[in-house]
Amino acid sequence: MPKVWVARGLKKGVLTSRFPADRPTSAEIPESALPPSPTPGADWRAGRKECPTGAIRAEEERVDLGMCIYCRRCSSAGFSFGEGAGQESRALQAGAVADVARATRRAFRRSLHVMMIDVGSCNACNLEVLNLSNPYYDLTRLGITFTNSPKHADALIVVGALNRAMVDVLKRTYESMPEPKMVISVGACAISGGAFTGTEGFVSPVGEAVPVDVVVPGCPPTPIQVLEGLLLATGRMTKATRP
Amino acid sequence: MAYSNRVEVRRVEMLEDGVQLASVFKIGDHTYVMLSDTKANKTVLSELPPTLGEEFGPLLKGVDAPAGAHLDMDPGGRVEGYGVFEFPYGPVSFGVPEAGGFKLVTYGERVIKVVPQVNFKKRGVEQASIGRSPQDALILVERSAGNFSASYSTCFLTAVEESLGLEVPSKARWTRAAAVELERIYNHLHVFGRLAEAASQNVAAAQANALKEDVLRLNSKHFGHRYLFGLSVVGGVRRELSKAECKELSNASRVIAREFSELVSYFLSSRIFLDRLQGTAKLAAADALRLGAVGPAARGSGIQWDDRLTYPIEPYEDIYVNMETDSGEDAMARTMVRVNEVESSTVVLREILDRIPGDGARAGAEGHRSRVDLPDDFSFCRVESPSGDLVQVVRLDNEGRVSGLHIRPPSLVNWLPLAKSLQGNVFTDFQFAFESFGLSFADSDR
Ligand code: SF4
């Protein structure tokens, strides 16, 4: 039996991503993960009318990626995805905002224990975060491991639109983590409520319940984007050193 | 095929033999029941007879539960006494990577009662859809359960388009079906990977997960999204597959089926794996029927119901689908149903891709098949999602906005069967039982 597995492994070859040493490939960051950006002829007001989440801020002429659910409806108003939308770095693209105190970053440079908590997601973000441990992404090669207990966790990945039934659970989980600690909001729902803003169960963005250090926009963000968020959070990658 | 072959309106006074309750819903001033007649392969609709109210109540607990508090899906029966220990599992745990939990009542190492706790993530998709245009409601509907989004959107749109009397191009319907089959394949691979992980077969789990990633990448390459969001719009699909793409996808699905069957054959020679599944979490056929089990959970107990055959929407009327059932009634049987469905789903997918019509027009409008002669006007659809029968009932107002939406998710009706099947098992089997049902809290809570 064990021999069979080795043979299978060899036959399949190395699947693991070259990221962060190299740029992510287009299979890793497909077009559906690229955020909208205005073309020169973009009509901001038409875009705002099309946008179901209010991500298009016509007055400020900017797209709030934390609200965007990547639905592509604004393409009719002259917003483009992919070509020209900052192709130089296909990942994140000004998406993640890392705001972690330097001291925290230094502590987690070499190893990071991550716990995921779901506070009301559709399950897609959960699956993308879990996918980080499949052979294509292989999180442990970077010294990042998942843990089941908040008492062992350095970082908390929060997914989902914060539900009224989960607010206390989230707060208690956060409080039982040892210091130093950080929180990463993954997906539009966690960052802003996304598609579920205004539904009966939704309370507030995660950031209003616990302090959030890093956000990873997307609906859902791909595993590579989540990984990039983790690397930004630990200071192992900065906007300048992005491949 | 006219709808009258598949849908029947009749007054039901009691649950006959072989008939399963599918859903209860309120439209206008009336409450209706939908039943699955597993003997005649028919969907039966009736106004809710007052005599049946009591009996149906507990089965559909959770259908109208409000958001903001969790809900105990208590299968009934009090268990107390010396040595009986009750402990909570969830809503934050790694065994269940979602917000949802269980109350486990144990005596020694035996589980004597399980109470699934749901609604931690109830967002309220149905209420929030009211007053929206179908296109806006779709954004919520397809995010009810991210990993069943193709099933959700197909089900919702089929009902909406029928209400609107839209002629939808056949090509669009066939494309949606291809997406639904891919969704089934990756979800089954996911369940298989989770089971392998639970048995600590890490290498095998990694391989199953790699295959799942392959399918997700196919989704994003050919349908524009890893989880198939945004593929369908009211009246059609946003992407059309070219002939070359169909061929590519068809070949890729063949490779996936082959690799998976190799993986499975290694697995079936592993005693460790088989021991954990065989005889675990038995669900008798009679219980499956009575408690409302659907999908692989029901077919693993020998129940013959698969919406692709029993409520075939286009293109399933024209396509050969093999109903995978197993009479083993245990976790192994449910796993084998899924394993065989990966294979047969790729066959279905290939047939769809081979025969996908190139035209725009719809072949022979068959009229309103789900609109039947009842006091209130509504349309409904049933779609076989990866975890079983998904029911949606839609009503639109005069301006074409959603004025009523009822979703009966497959996971919701599978909690009680899961709880039933766990009774008397050893505690360490919990993970295998749970994964073998393949349920999602996002789906059941919506
Ligand atoms: S992609 Fe959708 S959510 Fe994002 S800005 Fe455009 S319209 Fe708004």
Side-chain angles (χ1 to χ4, degrees), chain A residues 36 51-53 55-56 63 68-74 81:
Chain A
C51 180
T53 62
I56 295 190
V63 181
C68 176
I69 55 168
Y70 293 63
C71 69
R72 265 97 184 108
R73 276 168 52 166
C74 54
F81 303 83

mmCIF file of all heavy atoms in Angstrom, chain A residues 36 51-53 55-56 63 68-74 81, ligand 1:
data_model
loop_
_atom_site.group_PDB
_atom_site.id
_atom_site.type_symbol
_atom_site.label_atom_id
_atom_site.label_comp_id
_atom_site.label_asym_id
_atom_site.label_seq_id
_atom_site.Cartn_x
_atom_site.Cartn_y
_atom_site.Cartn_z
ATOM 1 N N PRO A 36 -13.015 44.956 -9.736
ATOM 2 C CA PRO A 36 -13.388 45.894 -10.791
ATOM 3 C C PRO A 36 -12.495 47.134 -10.735
ATOM 4 O O PRO A 36 -12.096 47.561 -9.661
ATOM 5 C CB PRO A 36 -14.826 46.271 -10.428
ATOM 6 C CG PRO A 36 -14.943 46.011 -8.976
ATOM 7 C CD PRO A 36 -14.004 44.890 -8.656
ATOM 8 N N CYS A 51 -24.679 48.433 -9.015
ATOM 9 C CA CYS A 51 -24.003 47.688 -7.951
ATOM 10 C C CYS A 51 -24.980 47.307 -6.835
ATOM 11 O O CYS A 51 -25.641 48.160 -6.265
ATOM 12 C CB CYS A 51 -22.876 48.530 -7.381
ATOM 13 S SG CYS A 51 -22.003 47.675 -6.081
ATOM 14 N N PRO A 52 -25.075 45.995 -6.536
ATOM 15 C CA PRO A 52 -26.057 45.568 -5.534
ATOM 16 C C PRO A 52 -25.619 45.821 -4.088
ATOM 17 O O PRO A 52 -26.437 45.699 -3.182
ATOM 18 C CB PRO A 52 -26.200 44.065 -5.797
ATOM 19 C CG PRO A 52 -24.912 43.661 -6.401
ATOM 20 C CD PRO A 52 -24.394 44.853 -7.148
ATOM 21 N N THR A 53 -24.357 46.158 -3.857
ATOM 22 C CA THR A 53 -23.905 46.273 -2.464
ATOM 23 C C THR A 53 -23.466 47.680 -2.091
ATOM 24 O O THR A 53 -23.053 47.916 -0.963
ATOM 25 C CB THR A 53 -22.712 45.341 -2.198
ATOM 26 O OG1 THR A 53 -21.641 45.743 -3.044
ATOM 27 C CG2 THR A 53 -23.053 43.906 -2.458
ATOM 28 N N ALA A 55 -20.843 49.154 -3.390
ATOM 29 C CA ALA A 55 -19.378 49.210 -3.385
ATOM 30 C C ALA A 55 -18.860 50.371 -4.226
ATOM 31 O O ALA A 55 -17.756 50.865 -4.009
ATOM 32 C CB ALA A 55 -18.804 47.897 -3.894
ATOM 33 N N ILE A 56 -19.661 50.796 -5.186
ATOM 34 C CA ILE A 56 -19.203 51.879 -6.060
ATOM 35 C C ILE A 56 -19.568 53.218 -5.431
ATOM 36 O O ILE A 56 -20.738 53.569 -5.310
ATOM 37 C CB ILE A 56 -19.796 51.731 -7.464
ATOM 38 C CG1 ILE A 56 -19.233 50.447 -8.075
ATOM 39 C CG2 ILE A 56 -19.486 52.944 -8.323
ATOM 40 C CD1 ILE A 56 -19.505 50.253 -9.521
ATOM 41 N N VAL A 63 -13.894 52.485 -5.810
ATOM 42 C CA VAL A 63 -14.619 51.252 -5.530
ATOM 43 C C VAL A 63 -14.161 50.741 -4.172
ATOM 44 O O VAL A 63 -12.968 50.588 -3.927
ATOM 45 C CB VAL A 63 -14.337 50.176 -6.603
ATOM 46 C CG1 VAL A 63 -15.119 48.910 -6.308
ATOM 47 C CG2 VAL A 63 -14.667 50.698 -7.982
ATOM 48 N N CYS A 68 -17.381 44.875 -2.246
ATOM 49 C CA CYS A 68 -17.615 44.293 -3.570
ATOM 50 C C CYS A 68 -17.783 42.778 -3.492
ATOM 51 O O CYS A 68 -17.017 42.093 -2.835
ATOM 52 C CB CYS A 68 -16.455 44.643 -4.486
ATOM 53 S SG CYS A 68 -16.559 43.890 -6.093
ATOM 54 N N ILE A 69 -18.812 42.272 -4.148
ATOM 55 C CA ILE A 69 -19.007 40.824 -4.188
ATOM 56 C C ILE A 69 -18.638 40.255 -5.561
ATOM 57 O O ILE A 69 -19.020 39.143 -5.901
ATOM 58 C CB ILE A 69 -20.442 40.421 -3.805
ATOM 59 C CG1 ILE A 69 -21.453 41.145 -4.680
ATOM 60 C CG2 ILE A 69 -20.721 40.693 -2.335
ATOM 61 C CD1 ILE A 69 -22.857 40.593 -4.549
ATOM 62 N N TYR A 70 -17.883 41.012 -6.327
ATOM 63 C CA TYR A 70 -17.320 40.532 -7.580
ATOM 64 C C TYR A 70 -18.394 39.961 -8.507
ATOM 65 O O TYR A 70 -18.198 38.936 -9.154
ATOM 66 C CB TYR A 70 -16.225 39.484 -7.295
ATOM 67 C CG TYR A 70 -15.014 40.073 -6.608
ATOM 68 C CD1 TYR A 70 -15.142 40.635 -5.344
ATOM 69 C CD2 TYR A 70 -13.760 40.076 -7.214
ATOM 70 C CE1 TYR A 70 -14.056 41.205 -4.698
ATOM 71 C CE2 TYR A 70 -12.662 40.637 -6.573
ATOM 72 C CZ TYR A 70 -12.821 41.191 -5.329
ATOM 73 O OH TYR A 70 -11.738 41.750 -4.692
ATOM 74 N N CYS A 71 -19.549 40.628 -8.545
ATOM 75 C CA CYS A 71 -20.665 40.097 -9.316
ATOM 76 C C CYS A 71 -20.599 40.510 -10.776
ATOM 77 O O CYS A 71 -21.327 39.986 -11.597
ATOM 78 C CB CYS A 71 -21.976 40.559 -8.722
ATOM 79 S SG CYS A 71 -22.260 42.319 -8.930
ATOM 80 N N ARG A 72 -19.725 41.477 -11.092
ATOM 81 C CA ARG A 72 -19.521 41.883 -12.502
ATOM 82 C C ARG A 72 -20.676 42.658 -13.113
ATOM 83 O O ARG A 72 -20.725 42.851 -14.324
ATOM 84 C CB ARG A 72 -19.271 40.648 -13.382
ATOM 85 C CG ARG A 72 -17.831 40.349 -13.599
ATOM 86 C CD ARG A 72 -17.338 39.305 -12.649
ATOM 87 N NE ARG A 72 -15.903 39.113 -12.841
ATOM 88 C CZ ARG A 72 -15.002 39.520 -11.974
ATOM 89 N NH1 ARG A 72 -15.349 40.152 -10.878
ATOM 90 N NH2 ARG A 72 -13.734 39.305 -12.192
ATOM 91 N N ARG A 73 -21.625 43.068 -12.323
ATOM 92 C CA ARG A 73 -22.735 43.796 -12.929
ATOM 93 C C ARG A 73 -22.333 45.178 -13.400
ATOM 94 O O ARG A 73 -22.944 45.734 -14.302
ATOM 95 C CB ARG A 73 -23.908 43.874 -11.952
ATOM 96 C CG ARG A 73 -24.730 42.616 -12.028
ATOM 97 C CD ARG A 73 -25.722 42.429 -10.958
ATOM 98 N NE ARG A 73 -26.611 43.542 -10.759
ATOM 99 C CZ ARG A 73 -27.728 43.460 -10.036
ATOM 100 N NH1 ARG A 73 -28.069 42.308 -9.490
ATOM 101 N NH2 ARG A 73 -28.477 44.497 -9.848
ATOM 102 N N CYS A 74 -21.287 45.734 -12.777
ATOM 103 C CA CYS A 74 -20.859 47.074 -13.176
ATOM 104 C C CYS A 74 -20.114 47.076 -14.498
ATOM 105 O O CYS A 74 -19.743 48.135 -14.993
ATOM 106 C CB CYS A 74 -20.011 47.700 -12.087
ATOM 107 S SG CYS A 74 -18.635 46.680 -11.589
ATOM 108 N N PHE A 81 -12.479 44.113 -15.601
ATOM 109 C CA PHE A 81 -11.873 43.114 -14.729
ATOM 110 C C PHE A 81 -10.761 42.480 -15.544
ATOM 111 O O PHE A 81 -10.925 42.207 -16.700
ATOM 112 C CB PHE A 81 -12.915 42.056 -14.360
ATOM 113 C CG PHE A 81 -14.133 42.648 -13.715
ATOM 114 C CD1 PHE A 81 -15.150 43.182 -14.480
ATOM 115 C CD2 PHE A 81 -14.229 42.703 -12.341
ATOM 116 C CE1 PHE A 81 -16.263 43.746 -13.891
ATOM 117 C CE2 PHE A 81 -15.341 43.262 -11.742
ATOM 118 C CZ PHE A 81 -16.362 43.797 -12.520
HETATM 119 S S1 SF4 C 1 -18.498 43.737 -9.186
HETATM 120 FE FE1 SF4 C 1 -20.611 43.894 -8.384
HETATM 121 S S2 SF4 C 1 -20.345 44.339 -6.195
HETATM 122 FE FE2 SF4 C 1 -18.377 44.756 -7.177
HETATM 123 S S3 SF4 C 1 -18.427 46.937 -7.668
HETATM 124 FE FE3 SF4 C 1 -19.155 45.865 -9.514
HETATM 125 S S4 SF4 C 1 -21.373 45.818 -9.306
HETATM 126 FE FE4 SF4 C 1 -20.546 46.315 -7.257
#
